Structure formats: structure tokens, C-alpha cells
Amino acid sequence: VSNLFFSLNRKKMSLKSERRGIHVDQSELLCKKGCGYYGNPAWQGFCSKCWREEYHKARQKQIQEDWELAERLQREEEEAFASSQSTQGAQSLTFSKFEEKKTNEKTRKVTTVKKFFTASSRAGAKKEIQESKAPSPSIHRQASIETDRVSKEFIEFLKTYHKPGQDIYKQCKLFLDTMNHKRDLSIEEQSECAQDFYQNVADKLQTRWKVPPEKVEKAMDQIEKYIMTRQYKYVFCPETTDDEKKDLAVQKRIRALHWVTPQMLCVPVNEEIPEVSDMVVKAITDIIEMDSKRVPRDKLACITKCSKHIFNAIKVTKNEPASADDFLPTLIYIVLKGNPPRLQSNIQYITRFCNPSRLMTGEDGYYFTNLCCAVAFIEKLDAQSLNLSQEDFDRFMTGQTSPKKQECDSFSPDVCLGVKQMCKSLDLLSQLNERQERIVSEAKKLEKDLIDWTDGITKEVEEIVEKYPLEIKPKSQALAAIDSENVENDKLPPPLQPQVYAG
């Protein structure tokens, strides 16, 4: 989208070198029709309101072209039938074959014309796919519990609106019933139905029910939460779209760019500062947490929290408020470092079913537009964007090599501290690798020494045994016991006799 693609300008880092920065003018984030609202890549650079106008114009044009095609086909059928009637008498057999062929061709063309004006019937195939991929009962129970909780909260909220609250609830129930009968429509048509519903309810709240503007915003948030919690499993990453394919492509692209450093993106964030490092971690956590939310507004809230952590990290690093030129490169770095799951599906879901007023104005709309710009930059990132040669870029992308580490002392004073810390870490890893290799070498040497020592001891024992063989002597005759009655060989003196003391 031309108006959302941001320009790249060079910033002088020293007298000898220049570094490319990522710059986007605030006017490029706005609707290219000049209405003052924020644009969106999914709407081809238009805001929600202008996009719907352009979409209706294109749709009416397509319908008109379809009618013209149908009329042309009808005239061709009539001319073919008239020409066949003129030669009926002379070519009866040929006519019968032609009539059969004409009937088949007419049936095919009529069916083709009908397809221009009727929605494609994919209900049967879609149901089979859904049945084959039905979630487990535990997931059904969890979704049911959350849906019941949201329904109770919505009813309690509407009680404060009295009579308008009852009408709002009826309108929401009617919309949900209508959407249940429109499952076979394309996701764009379902999105249009949701956007029309938001607009109609907001108009009724302001005009018919005379609700104050601040209460209208709260009511629309609750309405969006109620209906999208129920519709989430049907409209998030539907199987009729290529959202999942885009998710895998973006995820693969981010993985291939793992070598991109903060210096290449001119990220003004010093992760050596503990406070800044914590903010970076929180920003990554928020952007990843976006996938766990079911309501578009909650997903937008995650993007907003992530962006505020980025602004705070830049402010602490630079000791001054962050600018838009500082924010966008850092957001790109956060996305590359976090690689959020189903990123494109979440962006498409927010675009299609979020309350348009949030995307067109306010900080939520601003941060969401910047996220779309960051994703677009990552998809289009090339060697020139990072101020690299095409050869180096290709080698980095294929994994043949990685960016050369530089000694920290060789950096100019303008280089951010994060790059210096990265080089220190690379040096430390290199030293640890050398120590590991040395330990492995010494361990192998010790193992060899133990084996040699065992073999040497065994050899010495065998030599001694061979030199001094063991002689086994016969068993000697046992000595006679002291109390034995065999006195022939007894050399002991006679035993002492007791004497009587006369005293």
C-alpha cells in the first residue's frame, strides 16, 4: 500500500560513514483520500469509511459488468437459435445434434450467469471441514464458560440503560442469528455486515435513544465484546481465506531475519540498562499475548501496551521523549525479536471486526497503523533497507555467514551501547567456546591416560606371574590336639598333681 510504505533516509553517524534510518511521515499513516482518519493496508490505504465507499463503488461496477455479460450471452443464444431454425428442414439429424449441444451449452452458460449474482455455496464442504477439525470437548466447555460469563456481564451492563438496553440486546441477538445463517458468505461480506451493525447501533444510540457520547463508547465496547466472543471461532482465521498461509510466510520471514541487529535498524534502545531490558521484555510479552485474546478491542489493547513500553524504553535510554522516527524502528525490532504467533490473522481479524471508530482515530488506531507498517517493512525488507550490500544480505539470509563482530573499541562514539554489548557477548561466547573445546580435549586425553595406565598395570602383573610362577605345596600333617589321648607322641610334661596344705 503506497501511502503506508515509509521512506528510508540516510542519517550521518560520522564524517566517514552514514547509516540508514527508518522514517515515516505522519501524513503517510492517514487515509489517502484526505479525510483525516488513519488508513490501513488491508483497506488499500483508506480509512474504514472511505474504504466502504470505494468498495461499494467497485461492487456496483462489478454487478453492472455482470449484467452486461449476461445480456451478451443471452443475445448469443438467441442468434444461435435463430440460425439453427433457418436450416431445420435440410439438416434434421445435424439439427438434433446441434439442439442437444445448444441445450447443454445454454444450461452451462445460465449456470455461469447465476454464479455472478449468488453467493458461492460452500456450506456443505465447509461443514465437512469443520466436523473433521472439530475441537476437543474441553475446548468447547472452556469456550462455553467464557461465553456465558460475557453474556452475564453484558446483560448486567445493559440494565443501566433501561429501555435502550433492552433494544440493544434484541438488536444483538438478531445480528447473531443473522450471522449464523450467513456462514456460507465470504469473510469480507461478513465483515461488512458487522461494520454495518456497528454503525447502525451507534447511530441509534446517539439519535433515537439520546445516549451521551461517553456512554455510547462504553456501550459499543460491550457490544463488540459480546458479539465477537460468540463469533470468534467462526471468523478468526477462517478456512476459506489464506490467512494461515500468510501467517506461515511472515513467521518464516522473521525467522530468516534473526541476524538483524539493533544497529542495522537504528534502534535507540540500550538493553544494558536493567529498566530498559525489562521494558523490552514486557513489550515482547504484550505483542505475543495479543493472540490469546478473543475480542478485537482486547487485541488492540495489547498492541497499545506494547507500544507504550517501547516509548518508555526509548525515553529512559535517551533521557528525552521518543519521536515517531524512534518508535517505528524499535517496534520493528520488537516484532523481529518476539515473532508473534498468527500475526497476519490477528491483524486481519482486527481490521475486519473491530469497531471502526477505534481504528480510525485515537492512540489505538495510531499504534495499530504503525504495526501494519512494521509488518509491511519486514515483508519488503532488503539490502538497501539495512544499508548492506546485496552479497552480504544474501549470505546472511542463507545462513552462510553472520554479521562480522567488531571490537568494541573500534566503534565510533555514536554507535548505540546495545551493539557494543552484543560484541562483548560474542567475545564472551567465543571464549567460552574455546574453553569448552579445551575441556573436551583434556577429557579425551585423561580418558586415554586411564586406558594406558590400566593396560600397563595388567601387563606388569602378567610379567610377574610369568617370572614367578605360583607353586602349590601339599597339605602338611595336622598337629595333635593338646587334649588328645594319644600320649605316644606327646612331649608334654605330666600334669601337676594337687597337694594338700598341712599347715
Side-chain angles (χ1 to χ4, degrees):
V1 182
S2 59
N3 73 314
L4 291 178
F5 289 156
F6 32 83
S7 61
L8 300 173
N9 61 334
R10 292 187 178 275
K11 296 180 180 180
K12 292 184 179 180
M13 300 302 299
S14 63
L15 295 175
K16 297 182 179 180
S17 62
E18 292 182 348
R19 188 173 63 178
R20 183 173 299 276
I22 302 169
H23 172 74
V24 56
D25 193 351
Q26 296 303 297
S27 61
E28 297 176 353
L29 300 177
L30 301 177
C31 175
K32 65 182 182 181
K33 202 170 182 179
C35 64
Y37 296 119
Y38 290 119
N40 191 287
W43 296 326
Q44 300 182 4
F46 295 101
C47 67
S48 175
K49 181 180 178 181
C50 297
W51 164 246
R52 293 178 68 189
E53 294 176 356
E54 296 294 327
Y55 177 77
H56 284 302
K57 290 180 182 179
R59 191 174 182 182
Q60 291 297 329
K61 183 180 179 181
Q62 182 65 36
I63 292 175
Q64 182 64 28
E65 292 176 355
D66 293 342
W67 274 112
E68 293 176 357
L69 177 61
E71 292 176 355
R72 182 172 61 83
L73 292 175
Q74 184 66 25
R75 287 195 301 270
E76 291 178 358
E77 290 296 331
E78 293 174 354
E79 293 174 359
F81 183 75
S83 61
S84 64
Q85 289 290 340
S86 62
T87 58
Q88 182 177 5
Q91 300 177 353
S92 59
L93 182 60
T94 306
F95 174 77
S96 62
K97 293 183 179 180
F98 173 78
E99 184 69 18
E100 182 181 357
K101 182 178 179 181
K102 182 183 73 65
T103 303
N104 295 335
E105 186 68 16
K106 184 176 181 180
T107 303
R108 183 183 65 81
K109 290 184 177 180
V110 170
T111 304
T112 304
V113 173
K114 287 182 179 179
K115 288 182 179 179
F116 287 114
F117 306 102
T118 59
S120 58
S121 177
R122 300 180 180 177
K126 190 174 181 181
K127 288 182 180 178
E128 292 178 0
I129 296 174
Q130 289 178 350
E131 291 176 357
S132 62
K133 297 184 177 181
S136 62
S138 60
I139 298 178
H140 274 303
R141 288 194 297 269
Q142 183 178 358
S144 177
I145 293 173
E146 184 174 359
T147 301
D148 293 341
R149 179 180 58 80
V150 172
S151 299
K152 293 179 181 178
E153 293 178 356
F154 185 58
I155 293 173
E156 291 296 326
F157 172 79
L158 292 180
K159 289 181 179 179
T160 59
Y161 285 73
H162 306 293
K163 183 61 171 63
Q166 298 178 4
D167 295 336
I168 292 173
Y169 185 75
K170 291 179 181 178
Q171 293 288 334
C172 292
K173 293 292 291 184
L174 179 62
F175 171 76
L176 292 174
D177 293 338
T178 304
M179 293 295 291
N180 289 333
H181 290 88
K182 292 184 177 181
R183 294 278 179 252
D184 57 337
L185 295 180
S186 66
I187 193 63
E188 286 76 16
E189 291 173 323
Q190 295 184 52
S191 171
E192 186 180 359
C193 292
Q195 298 297 329
D196 289 338
F197 174 74
Y198 288 144
Q199 186 65 40
N200 293 335
V201 174
D203 291 342
K204 289 181 180 179
L205 285 171
Q206 295 176 352
T207 58
R208 181 186 299 179
W209 298 318
K210 306 299 181 181
V211 178
E214 62 276 6
K215 297 190 70 176
V216 170
E217 184 177 356
K218 293 181 180 179
M220 293 305 300
D221 291 341
Q222 292 296 325
I223 291 171
E224 177 189 319
K225 181 178 180 180
Y226 173 67
I227 64 174
M228 295 315 303
T229 301
R230 290 179 169 272
Q231 294 293 312
Y232 177 79
K233 62 181 180 180
Y234 303 111
V235 297
F236 181 83
C237 191
E239 296 162 349
T240 56
T241 65
D242 58 349
D243 291 350
E244 185 176 3
K245 183 178 179 180
K246 293 180 180 179
D247 289 335
L248 296 176
V250 172
Q251 189 177 58
K252 183 178 180 181
R253 176 72 173 176
I254 292 177
R255 287 177 178 174
L257 294 171
H258 66 90
W259 49 269
V260 177
T261 62
Q263 180 190 17
M264 296 177 180
L265 297 172
C266 302
V267 176
V269 169
N270 182 11
E271 295 188 61
E272 285 187 343
I273 303 175
E275 185 179 359
V276 174
S277 179
D278 292 341
M279 292 177 183
V280 170
V281 172
K282 290 179 180 178
I284 294 174
T285 303
D286 290 332
I287 198 68
I288 292 176
E289 188 182 3
M290 175 179 61
D291 186 61
S292 65
K293 304 299 182 181
R294 298 168 66 92
V295 183
R297 180 172 60 89
D298 294 340
K299 292 181 181 291
L300 276 179
C302 291
I303 299 174
T304 301
K305 289 192 295 183
C306 169
S307 302
K308 289 184 177 180
H309 287 309
I310 291 174
F311 273 109
N312 291 333
I314 298 173
K315 183 178 179 181
V316 173
T317 301
K318 299 180 65 176
N319 290 325
E320 60 182 15
S323 64
D325 291 341
D326 296 330
F327 169 68
L328 186 58
T330 311
L331 179 60
I332 295 172
Y333 173 67
I334 293 296
V335 173
L336 289 175
K337 195 170 182 179
N339 197 359
R342 300 192 291 185
L343 182 57
Q344 280 289 1
S345 291
N346 283 286
I347 290 177
Q348 292 294 332
Y349 175 70
I350 294 172
T351 302
R352 292 165 180 160
F353 297 101
C354 184
N355 185 0
S357 62
R358 284 192 171 273
L359 300 183
M360 294 163 60
T361 57
E363 62 178 6
D364 289 342
Y366 173 76
Y367 294 139
F368 179 72
T369 304
N370 276 273
L371 178 62
C372 295
C373 290
V375 176
F377 176 84
I378 292 172
E379 292 176 339
K380 303 295 181 181
L381 187 142
D382 54 11
Q384 186 180 10
S385 304
L386 301 175
N387 199 22
L388 296 174
S389 65
Q390 188 62 42
E391 297 178 355
D392 291 341
F393 182 82
D394 294 338
R395 286 200 300 268
F396 295 157
M397 290 296 292
T398 56
Q400 296 178 359
T401 184
S402 60
K404 295 180 180 179
K405 65 174 184 176
Q406 302 179 359
E407 296 295 335
C408 296
D409 296 338
S410 65
F411 283 115
S412 64
D414 296 329
V415 176
C416 66
L417 296 177
V419 177
K420 296 181 181 179
Q421 179 62 34
M422 179 192 67
C423 292
K424 292 180 181 179
S425 300
L426 291 175
D427 292 337
L428 181 59
L429 288 174
S430 178
Q431 296 175 10
L432 291 175
N433 187 39
E434 293 176 358
R435 291 179 59 185
Q436 178 70 14
E437 292 178 353
R438 190 163 58 249
I439 291 173
V440 171
S441 176
E442 294 293 336
K444 291 182 178 179
K445 183 180 178 181
L446 177 60
E447 181 182 11
K448 184 177 181 300
D449 292 342
L450 288 174
I451 294 174
D452 294 342
W453 178 78
T454 303
D455 294 341
I457 295 298
T458 303
K459 185 177 180 181
E460 290 180 3
V461 170
E462 291 177 352
E463 291 176 353
I464 292 174
V465 170
E466 183 180 356
K467 186 176 181 180
Y468 303 101
L470 180 63
E471 296 181 0
I472 301 177
K473 297 181 178 180
K475 185 177 181 180
S476 61
Q477 188 176 2
L479 297 177
I482 296 178
D483 298 333
S484 175
E485 296 180 355
N486 185 10
V487 295
E488 296 179 356
N489 296 328
D490 193 357
K491 303 297 184 180
L492 293 175
L496 298 177
Q497 297 294 328
Q499 298 180 2
V500 179
Y501 180 62

